[in-house]
Amino acid sequence: MDEKRKFRTTLVLGNGFDLSLHLKTSYKAFHEYLEAKGFYEKHNSNELICKIRKEIHDYWYNFEKVIKDYALSSKATILFRRLAIFREGLDKFLHNWNRDLLSDMITNEILDLFNQYNFSSAIELLNNINDGELSEIMSICRKVESQIDDIELLERKKTLVILNELKAELYSFLKNAIQGHIDISEPSARVLLSTLGIEPKGYNSIEEGLLTKIVEEEWVFEDNVRIVSFNYTDTLYLIAKVVELAKGRAFPLEFEDLKNIYFPIHGTLKEEELVFGADDVEGIPYPLQILKKSEQIIDYKGKYDVKKQFTDILNNSQEIIIFGHSINGLDFEYYEEYLKTDSDSPIHIITYDETSVETIKHFLAKRNLHRGNREIKYYKTNESHNKQIEDLCNRIRTME
């Protein structure tokens, strides 16, 4: 084991972690919430919302996959790709003044685009392309380019509006979901508390453990652990609130108290900024690039390379625990660079049942990612008492 690795344990949280706590945060629940709210009916003319309604009823990673597919192949995507080609042609014309080249660019698809957007400067160009003076046509071409900018900006704003409405519904759904009962006896709570060095043997031991983290009225967590969450919920905060209610003692734990050890990949309810959408893939036209997660992260965090930071954390971890996260889903790209290394840090994957275990094993084997001396262990939460998980909790709690 490389002694230079500075984090004894890194815990990665996915939606399966929250579900293990009995929080109703599944995508199926969100889908039913949108149906009940009439959100789908309200937006039944929006291509993205119709696609989401039709194609996803089960998993969060499918939700993001559909957004990615929309960004790459929607009607708007096809139109703006054609517009981009048309713009390239304008640039060529402005460099060589070839009137025939310009005429060849006016296809039926482009004419449809002109009409759809009431593209006045392009229609003016069409009317002058054969008889107008070249200098006049060039002037109109520059107006066309300017109007293309306006059309792209308008479409980007429309996309942002529907994205923000979807985020507002997700925020409302999750705020309601976290009001549910949290079972601190579940493996998820025990693994999280053990990672922080707290013995999860009941309210008394959790209370005592939390009290050890308060020094001179300030929360002090060891800097040698990292918690990386792909969820929007603030789980440790919620657990502290459960103990508050049970013991009648205030534990004013806030998001800021965890900022040195806790890294929310996609934003949190506390920050009131949620990130979801397509990953960084080529081919998404400018108006739809706001659907990329990286664009949204830049909007609220500034330029911020989330994947690099995640990989750096994994590279610096002595042990890694992945709880309820679809390593074999759309978020695999976050793990890919690390899994291709020959790191010997053990990975503990905690998932729901044997089917989930076999799915992940098959996924990793197919990509030849069981490599080097790396040990990968699997744990199932659907078993009534899992001694393996208990042993894992005991060991990570006492690690130096």
Side-chain angles (χ1 to χ4, degrees):
M1 182 70 65
D2 186 350
E3 297 300 326
K4 292 182 180 178
R5 292 176 190 156
K6 51 189 176 183
F7 311 132
R8 63 171 174 80
T9 307
T10 288
L11 173 61
V12 183
L13 311 179
N15 186 239
F17 179 89
D18 283 354
L19 294 176
S20 171
L21 285 172
H22 297 180
L23 292 174
K24 298 186 183 303
T25 57
S26 68
Y27 182 79
K28 184 175 184 290
F30 181 51
H31 171 72
E32 291 170 351
Y33 167 87
L34 292 178
E35 285 281 16
K37 282 285 297 282
F39 181 81
Y40 291 132
E41 286 302 319
K42 176 183 175 183
H43 298 288
N44 61 11
S45 62
N46 182 279
E47 186 182 355
L48 173 59
I49 301 305
C50 289
K51 189 175 179 69
I52 288 172
R53 183 184 195 181
K54 179 182 178 182
E55 297 186 19
I56 331 166
H57 307 112
D58 44 17
Y59 302 114
W60 283 109
Y61 62 80
N62 283 340
F63 174 63
E64 293 197 322
K65 181 179 183 300
V66 164
I67 295 175
K68 173 185 171 183
D69 290 345
Y70 169 83
L72 287 170
S73 59
S74 67
K75 292 177 182 176
T77 303
I78 293 167
L79 286 172
F80 282 100
R81 281 180 185 154
R82 287 171 180 160
L83 202 54
I85 293 169
F86 181 63
R87 187 171 198 156
E88 288 175 10
L90 287 180
D91 289 338
K92 289 178 182 176
F93 169 73
L94 289 172
H95 281 90
N96 62 26
W97 297 10
N98 186 328
R99 195 191 300 258
D100 291 336
L101 173 66
L102 200 56
S103 296
D104 291 343
M105 289 163 41
I106 312 297
T107 62
N108 288 333
E109 290 86 356
I110 291 298
L111 289 174
D112 289 342
L113 195 59
F114 291 173
N115 292 325
Q116 180 175 335
Y117 285 94
N118 191 23
F119 205 161
S120 57
S121 59
I123 293 168
E124 182 183 2
L125 173 63
L126 185 61
N127 293 334
N128 287 274
I129 196 166
N130 294 317
D131 303 320
E133 295 292 331
L134 279 175
S135 58
E136 181 182 6
I137 294 175
M138 289 177 67
S139 175
I140 298 172
C141 283
R142 291 191 176 93
K143 286 198 291 184
V144 170
E145 288 187 316
S146 176
Q147 195 166 6
I148 289 174
D149 289 339
D150 293 341
I151 291 171
E152 288 181 334
L153 186 59
L154 175 64
E155 191 68 31
R156 184 178 175 89
K157 286 180 178 177
K158 285 167 57 180
T159 303
L160 184 58
V161 167
I162 198 66
L163 179 67
N164 285 340
E165 286 196 40
L166 200 51
K167 285 185 178 184
E169 294 295 351
L170 178 57
Y171 180 84
S172 176
F173 163 75
L174 290 172
K175 287 290 282 187
N176 183 62
I178 64 174
Q179 305 305 317
H181 170 70
I182 290 180
D183 189 344
I184 61 171
S185 69
E186 288 292 339
S188 42
R190 299 202 302 273
V191 169
L192 174 60
L193 291 166
S194 296
T195 300
L196 296 171
I198 297 172
E199 187 171 9
K201 293 293 185 183
Y203 290 115
N204 289 336
S205 69
I206 295 173
E207 178 189 30
E208 290 171 8
L210 287 171
L211 286 173
T212 66
K213 306 299 178 184
I214 302 174
V215 179
E216 297 180 356
E217 299 185 354
E218 289 191 6
W219 290 91
V220 179
F221 291 95
E222 295 178 45
D223 194 43
N224 64 349
V225 299
R226 288 294 181 267
I227 300 169
V228 182
S229 179
F230 284 80
N231 301 333
Y232 305 112
T233 49
D234 309 298
T235 313
L236 184 58
Y237 168 80
L238 295 175
I239 290 173
K241 290 299 177 190
V242 170
V243 178
E244 274 188 15
L245 292 173
K247 301 298 295 182
R249 177 193 293 275
F251 287 106
L253 181 66
E254 298 296 340
F255 178 74
E256 283 296 305
D257 298 317
L258 299 168
K259 64 183 180 181
N260 290 333
I261 64 167
Y262 183 69
F263 294 88
I265 295 289
H266 295 153
T268 71
L269 293 176
K270 280 285 184 183
E271 294 177 301
E272 298 189 9
E273 182 59 55
L274 311 182
V275 174
F276 59 75
D279 293 301
D280 284 336
V281 290
E282 294 183 1
I284 299 177
Y286 169 74
L288 302 184
Q289 285 186 10
I290 193 61
L291 293 174
K292 291 164 57 175
K293 286 184 283 192
S294 59
E295 291 269 328
Q296 298 166 44
I297 289 169
I298 288 172
D299 277 355
Y300 90 97
K301 284 189 175 180
K303 194 168 179 61
Y304 181 66
D305 191 339
V306 174
K307 289 178 192 170
K308 182 180 184 305
Q309 184 170 26
F310 182 61
T311 302
D312 288 346
I313 290 173
L314 296 183
N315 281 328
N316 279 288
S317 301
Q318 294 178 35
E319 296 211 31
I320 298 162
I321 303 171
I322 302 169
F323 199 124
H325 190 227
S326 300
I327 187 173
N328 56 308
L330 202 62
D331 283 332
F332 167 68
E333 65 175 16
Y334 284 87
Y335 297 94
E336 185 172 16
E337 184 177 340
Y338 172 73
L339 289 174
K340 286 181 176 177
T341 69
D342 291 324
S343 169
D344 60 351
S345 295
I347 299 176
H348 307 274
I349 298 178
I350 305 175
T351 188
Y352 179 64
D353 58 14
E354 186 63 30
T355 300
S356 302
V357 169
E358 291 304 316
T359 299
I360 296 170
K361 283 183 177 179
H362 176 73
F363 179 88
L364 295 178
K366 190 174 179 180
R367 287 157 181 79
N368 191 30
L369 293 174
H370 283 286
R371 60 176 66 207
N373 296 317
R374 179 186 291 124
E375 179 183 20
I376 300 180
K377 289 187 176 180
Y378 296 89
Y379 308 77
K380 294 166 284 189
T381 61
N382 70 331
E383 298 174 351
S384 57
H385 180 76
N386 192 312
K387 186 176 183 302
Q388 282 185 307
I389 293 179
E390 288 304 312
D391 291 345
L392 176 64
C393 288
N394 292 333
R395 194 166 55 76
I396 61 175
R397 190 175 61 254
T398 56
M399 280 178 65
E400 295 295 333

